[in-house]
């Protein structure tokens, strides 16, 4: 590639952005560079058209570099002596300190999104980020204009990982999303449908790889939706649908933060989702977000706060048309009550959750609860039974979870941890080690911080048998996976 194109990619500029910056820099206001002409300049000398010396000088200012760095030796010698002198004089590397971000921060005009938009700072990509994205695009797309469009979309949606999602969009869908990113057209139903499609794909991506890959993409989508909501002239129905998308993305972002052990970030995102869900009055989403907040509180050992959220969720779940949501809520209630030592009430709530999940799914059940299956119910049942002091019953539940074909990687890992805890209580050390080993192997494929933390805790429960040969072998394996425990130091 020509240096002119490489500099544009290194700065995270689309062709449209580079052309706009170039035209703005012309002091006479006469520049009328078009994207097609920029491509001609960037392809020279293999094809296209050679840029004039004045053009090279202006692009040096756009990219805060010296003009001489924007052309090869072969092109440089093709200019006249006077043009070479102009190119040699233009050096704007002193402007590097004022290098701008590649994506403008969303304006905060909507009441629900204003505070969030102020906190959500768009990170400036490094040249290494852009180079990585460029290499991926080189293998992905041969057409130059389509490559630039993908480059623009990927930067707006979190970088190179977003390419996995963009592959699932048709060319018209990519064009529609690009128009939304550029704010060049009015938001319509088709644009919202593309955002919803990407959100669904993000959830599946999290199932496979974990939060580190997915969180930057979800944050990019949240910024985009916040920006769309800040615009005027949105029809009420379209605004509600976008607000719902924002609430769902906030819930998902909260889950990803929680899975990375960032509980403060999780609570913030869940609360932002609650604000949006209350704005449109969606009882299912409100109930779900309160349930998620309860889950975070339970994980932090704040059972009283968890009970507050689970009771708040109960009222909204009753208003919801979703039996699946009521099942999720009932299971969370069972978990909280189990931790409070209220075994009888916990058992009744658990039985209610299991009965509801078996009912046929309806249109009232939201797509984001696809993960809540009988296998997941059994995994949560094992958690409750451990708190009831019934390790054999917990093992029975875990076995059913592991045999269910719909059990995802993360759920399988946590089920193995429950299995290990039950075996540890029964003093079956080799079996417990084997289950911990299986859960630890999941962390090599999935970036869940919670699962890695659960592996450490499971190993800590084996500390009385630290000298056992099985435990010592486990410590070696955990060290190789980067999971540090007292026995691995």
């Amino acid at each position: 590639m020509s240096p002119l194109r490489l500099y544009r990619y290194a700065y995270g500029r689309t062709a449209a952005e580079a052309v706009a910056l170039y035209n703005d820099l012309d002091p006479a206001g006469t520049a009328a560079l078009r994207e097609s002409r920029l491509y001609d300049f960037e392809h020279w000398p293999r094809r296209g058209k050679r840029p004039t010396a004045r053009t090279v000088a202006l692009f040096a200012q756009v990219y805060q570099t010296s003009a001489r760095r924007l052309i090869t030796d072969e092109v440089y010698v093709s200019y006249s002596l006077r043009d070479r002198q102009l190119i040699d004089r233009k050096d704007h590397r002193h402007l590097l300190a004022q290098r701008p971000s590649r994506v403008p921060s969303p304006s905060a005009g909507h009441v629900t999104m204003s505070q969030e938009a102020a906190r959500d700072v768009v990170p400036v990509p490094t040249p290494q980020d852009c180079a990585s994205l460029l290499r991926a695009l080189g293998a992905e797309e041969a057409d130059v204009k389509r490559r630039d469009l993908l480059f623009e979309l990927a930067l707006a949606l979190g970088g190179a990982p977003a390419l996995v999602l963009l592959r699932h969009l048709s060319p018209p869908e990519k064009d529609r999303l690009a128009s939304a990113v550029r704010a060049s057209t009015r938001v319509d139903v088709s644009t919202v449908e593309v955002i919803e499609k990407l959100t669904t794909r993000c959830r599946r991506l999290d199932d496979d790889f974990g939060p580190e890959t997915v969180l930057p993409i979800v944050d990019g989508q949240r910024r985009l939706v916040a920006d769309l909501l800040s615009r005027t002239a949105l029809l009420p129905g379209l605004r509600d649908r976008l607000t719902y998308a924002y609430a769902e993305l906030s819930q998902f972002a909260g889950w990803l933060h929680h899975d990375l052990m960032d509980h403060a970030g999780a609570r913030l995102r869940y609360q932002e989702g609650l604000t949006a869900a209350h704005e449109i009055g969606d009882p299912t989403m409100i109930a779900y977000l309160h349930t998620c907040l309860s889950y975070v509180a339970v994980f932090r050992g704040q059972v009283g706060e968890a009970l507050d959220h689970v009771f708040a969720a109960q009222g909204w779940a009753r208003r919801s048309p979703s039996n699946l949501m009521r099942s999720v809520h009932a299971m969370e209630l069972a978990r909280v009550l189990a931790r409070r030592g209220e075994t009888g009430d916990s058992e009744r709530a658990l039985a209610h959750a299991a009965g509801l999940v078996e009912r046929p799914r309806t249109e009232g059940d939201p797509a984001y609860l696809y993960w809540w299956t009988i296998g997941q119910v059994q995994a949560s049942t094992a958690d409750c039974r451990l708190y009831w002091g019934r390790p054999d019953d917990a093992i029975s539940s875990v076995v059913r979870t592991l045999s269910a074909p719909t059990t995802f990687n993360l759920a399988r890992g946590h089920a193995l941890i429950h299995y290990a805890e039950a075996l540890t209580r029964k003093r079956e050390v080799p079996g417990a080690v084997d289950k911990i080993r299986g859960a630890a192997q999941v962390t090599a494929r999935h970036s869940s911080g919670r699962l890695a933390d659960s592996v450490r805790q499971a190993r800590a429960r084996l500390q009385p048998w630290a000298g056992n040969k099985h435990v010592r072998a486990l410590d070696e394996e955990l060290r190789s996976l980067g999971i540090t425990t007292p026995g691995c130091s």
Side-chain angles (χ1 to χ4, degrees):
M1 289 189 181
S2 68
L4 195 60
R5 165 158 287 192
L6 290 173
Y7 264 87
R8 176 163 68 83
Y9 277 132
Y11 271 71
R13 299 291 182 195
T14 65
E17 289 172 335
V19 165
L21 289 170
Y22 175 93
N23 290 335
D24 289 343
L25 286 175
D26 183 16
T30 58
L33 183 66
R34 300 185 305 276
E35 290 180 49
S36 58
R37 182 61 72 193
L38 174 60
Y39 289 131
D40 285 339
F41 293 158
E42 290 181 342
H43 282 122
W44 184 260
R46 294 188 176 182
R47 61 180 187 274
K49 182 179 177 65
R50 189 187 73 172
T52 65
R54 179 174 173 276
T55 295
V56 175
L58 280 177
F59 270 119
Q61 189 170 350
V62 170
Y63 299 131
Q64 290 113 52
T65 188
S66 65
R68 181 64 183 85
R69 291 187 173 187
L70 293 178
I71 53 176
T72 63
D73 293 340
E74 177 185 3
V75 175
Y76 178 74
V77 298
S78 69
Y79 288 101
S80 66
L81 178 61
R82 183 176 179 179
D83 285 344
R84 286 185 219 167
Q85 291 173 342
L86 173 62
I87 291 171
D88 291 337
R89 286 198 309 269
K90 296 300 179 180
D91 189 341
H92 299 282
R93 283 174 286 185
H94 63 282
L95 297 176
L96 278 172
Q98 293 94 40
R99 177 179 174 177
S101 168
R102 56 51 170 157
V103 178
S105 296
S107 56
H110 193 262
V111 61
T112 301
M113 312 308 159
S114 58
Q115 293 181 347
E116 182 277 331
R119 283 189 295 266
D120 238 356
V121 178
V122 181
V124 178
T126 65
Q128 291 79 10
D129 294 334
C130 295
S132 174
L133 180 56
L134 176 58
R135 283 193 296 271
L137 284 169
E140 185 101 357
E141 179 61 60
D143 182 81
V144 173
K145 291 187 177 181
R146 303 303 297 180
R147 188 186 302 167
D148 266 7
L149 185 142
L150 285 171
F151 184 73
E152 178 179 12
L153 291 178
L155 283 178
L157 295 177
L163 293 178
V164 177
L165 294 179
L166 295 174
R167 292 191 192 109
H168 296 284
L169 298 183
S170 65
E173 288 174 329
K174 291 173 185 173
D175 291 335
R176 197 170 292 120
L177 188 62
S179 296
V181 169
R182 299 167 185 153
S184 59
T185 60
R186 292 171 63 92
V187 179
D188 57 13
V189 174
S190 298
T191 303
V192 182
E193 288 175 347
V194 173
I195 293 170
E196 293 168 344
K197 181 177 180 179
L198 287 177
T199 303
T200 300
R201 292 288 182 182
C202 272
R203 291 188 182 275
R204 301 295 184 175
L205 197 62
D206 177 50
D207 294 334
D208 293 333
F209 301 106
E212 285 186 357
T213 299
V214 182
L215 184 56
I217 307 173
V218 174
D219 281 342
Q221 286 183 260
R222 289 178 71 253
R223 287 192 295 268
L224 173 59
V225 174
D227 181 45
L228 297 178
L229 282 165
S230 72
R231 301 178 191 174
T232 57
L234 281 174
L235 295 174
L238 192 58
R239 175 170 290 280
D240 286 350
R241 194 164 171 181
L242 268 176
T243 303
Y244 181 87
Y246 183 86
E248 183 178 348
L249 284 165
S250 296
Q251 180 279 320
F252 189 26
W255 161 257
L256 296 172
H257 279 283
H258 173 54
D259 206 21
L260 287 170
M261 303 289 288
D262 175 15
H263 306 308
R267 293 178 66 186
L268 174 63
R269 293 300 181 232
Y270 286 150
Q271 291 289 353
E272 289 165 350
L274 262 180
T275 302
H278 276 295
E279 185 170 323
I280 57 176
D282 187 282
T284 306
M285 180 60 75
I286 295 171
Y288 191 36
L289 283 160
H290 274 297
T291 302
C292 290
L293 282 163
S294 170
Y295 198 83
V296 172
V298 164
F299 195 85
R300 299 173 67 196
Q302 299 172 338
V303 181
E305 181 181 327
L307 200 61
D308 287 343
H309 283 298
V310 86
F311 281 147
Q314 189 171 46
W316 289 103
R318 286 171 180 164
R319 298 187 186 186
S320 169
S322 172
N323 283 323
L324 213 55
M325 182 63 246
R326 281 189 280 275
S327 176
V328 170
H329 166 264
M331 181 56 72
E332 181 61 16
L333 176 61
R335 293 175 68 250
V336 175
L337 293 175
R339 281 156 176 76
R340 286 173 57 88
E342 301 177 26
T343 301
D345 289 339
S346 177
E347 286 186 280
R348 284 186 286 274
L350 192 149
H352 187 50
L356 288 171
V357 80
E358 296 281 22
R359 296 184 183 181
R361 303 203 174 198
T362 68
E363 292 182 357
D365 295 319
Y368 55 76
L369 291 182
Y370 69 93
W371 59 275
W372 188 247
T373 62
I374 188 61
Q376 188 65 45
V377 168
Q378 292 296 338
S380 298
T381 299
D383 180 43
C384 292
R385 286 175 169 172
L386 286 170
Y387 272 91
W388 300 343
R390 303 176 189 172
D392 288 326
D393 291 341
I395 290 173
S396 176
S397 296
V398 169
V399 169
R400 287 196 289 271
T401 297
L402 296 175
S403 63
T406 56
T407 303
F408 299 107
N409 280 338
L410 184 58
R412 189 173 297 276
H414 283 295
L416 288 168
I417 292 297
H418 293 324
Y419 206 155
E421 181 175 351
L423 291 173
T424 301
R425 293 188 186 187
K426 292 165 63 68
R427 298 177 178 269
E428 297 181 13
V429 175
V433 166
D434 182 63
K435 304 311 175 189
I436 295 171
R437 180 183 293 111
Q441 289 169 354
V442 175
T443 67
R445 306 186 299 272
H446 195 286
S447 59
S448 170
R450 286 189 309 116
L451 180 57
D453 185 67
S454 295
V455 170
R456 294 186 188 96
Q457 293 182 35
R459 165 58 185 85
R461 285 190 284 269
L462 291 175
Q463 194 59 25
W465 300 276
N468 183 287
K469 66 177 183 179
H470 300 287
V471 177
R472 291 200 306 270
L474 174 64
D475 289 340
E476 290 293 331
E477 292 184 47
L478 295 182
R479 186 184 296 110
S480 69
L481 291 170
I483 301 176
T484 304
T485 69
C488 296
S489 57

